[in-house]
């Protein structure tokens, strides 16, 4: 979780603009939007880990002035197969955006997924923490570029 010095609408617009994810999140190199809220994401993972991809559906809720974007894996008929990638069938998570004072936003990012392939079990906790920190940093950097 992190406090960003951006209004909740700016953060929300960036999360909702799924086709722009490769310009926001460094590990995402390809996206395919199958439906308004169903997106196929391709991740270029660092060596020696193979690349990963997953298809998720986003659901939006507003609760006590918080914006909540939940996502979970779905099967999509005739989806693209990336031959050099390992499909993650159990990806899921949540973005929680909460307005704060001074037009800032508290952003909480929660994610979980089996990384599959040649990924050692002992490294999972570190990968989950690192990925969460990277995602929040990339989001903040993208928002800073947009606001200039």
């Amino acid at each position: 979780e992190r406090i960003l010095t951006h209004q909740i609408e700016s953060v929300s617009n960036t999360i909702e603009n799924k086709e722009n994810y490769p310009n926001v999140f460094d590990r995402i190199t390809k996206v395919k939007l199958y439906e308004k809220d169903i997106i196929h994401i391709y991740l270029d993972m660092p060596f020696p880990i193979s690349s990963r991809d997953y298809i998720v559906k986003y659901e939006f809720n507003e609760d006590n002035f918080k914006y909540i974007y939940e996502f979970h894996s779905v099967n999509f008929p005739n989806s693209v197969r990336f031959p050099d990638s390992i499909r993650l069938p159990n990806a899921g998570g949540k973005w929680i955006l909460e307005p704060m004072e001074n037009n800032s936003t508290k952003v909480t990012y929660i994610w979980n997924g089996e990384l599959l392939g040649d990924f050692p079990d002992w490294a999972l906790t570190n990968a989950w923490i690192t990925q969460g920190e990277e995602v929040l940093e990339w989001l903040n950097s993208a928002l800073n570029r947009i606001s200039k």
Side-chain angles (χ1 to χ4, degrees):
E1 121 183 344
R2 191 172 291 184
I3 305 292
L4 304 181
T5 58
H6 302 278
Q7 292 183 350
I8 194 168
E9 290 80 13
S10 296
V11 180
S12 176
N13 289 339
T14 301
I15 292 170
E16 288 181 14
N17 189 358
K18 297 167 190 72
E19 292 177 306
N20 194 44
Y21 280 9
N23 298 316
V24 175
F25 305 107
D26 288 358
R27 291 203 197 287
I28 297 177
T29 59
K30 300 175 195 173
V31 296
K32 181 156 181 66
L33 201 59
Y34 293 122
E35 293 181 4
K36 179 180 179 268
D37 292 324
I38 297 179
I39 184 173
H40 191 164
I41 296 176
Y42 177 87
L43 301 167
D44 185 14
M45 302 299 284
F47 180 82
I49 304 166
S50 300
S51 296
R52 307 292 198 263
D53 72 286
Y54 56 92
I55 302 170
V56 290
K57 178 177 177 128
Y58 274 81
E59 296 175 10
F60 173 77
N61 291 299
E62 191 171 351
D63 184 29
N64 290 332
F65 303 105
K66 293 180 185 178
Y67 293 5
I68 302 168
Y69 297 89
E70 292 187 66
F71 56 94
H72 60 276
S73 288
V74 294
N75 290 320
F76 194 84
N78 303 317
S79 62
V80 173
R81 280 306 258 172
F82 297 111
D84 62 336
S85 182
I86 295 172
R87 175 70 49 92
L88 303 179
N90 296 314
K94 185 185 297 191
W95 292 93
I96 303 169
L97 312 181
E98 184 177 355
M100 306 295 285
E101 295 178 7
N102 301 322
N103 291 322
S104 60
T105 304
K106 177 180 175 183
V107 178
T108 303
Y109 177 66
I110 302 165
W111 77 280
N112 192 29
E114 298 170 293
L115 294 177
L116 301 174
D118 294 329
F119 201 90
D121 289 341
W122 59 265
L124 285 176
T125 302
N126 185 46
W128 286 323
I129 293 169
T130 300
Q131 175 70 12
E133 290 172 353
E134 287 176 342
V135 164
L136 290 170
E137 183 55 41
W138 294 329
L139 175 62
N140 190 47
S141 294
L143 289 162
N144 287 337
R145 288 191 305 270
I146 292 167
S147 67
K148 287 183 179 181

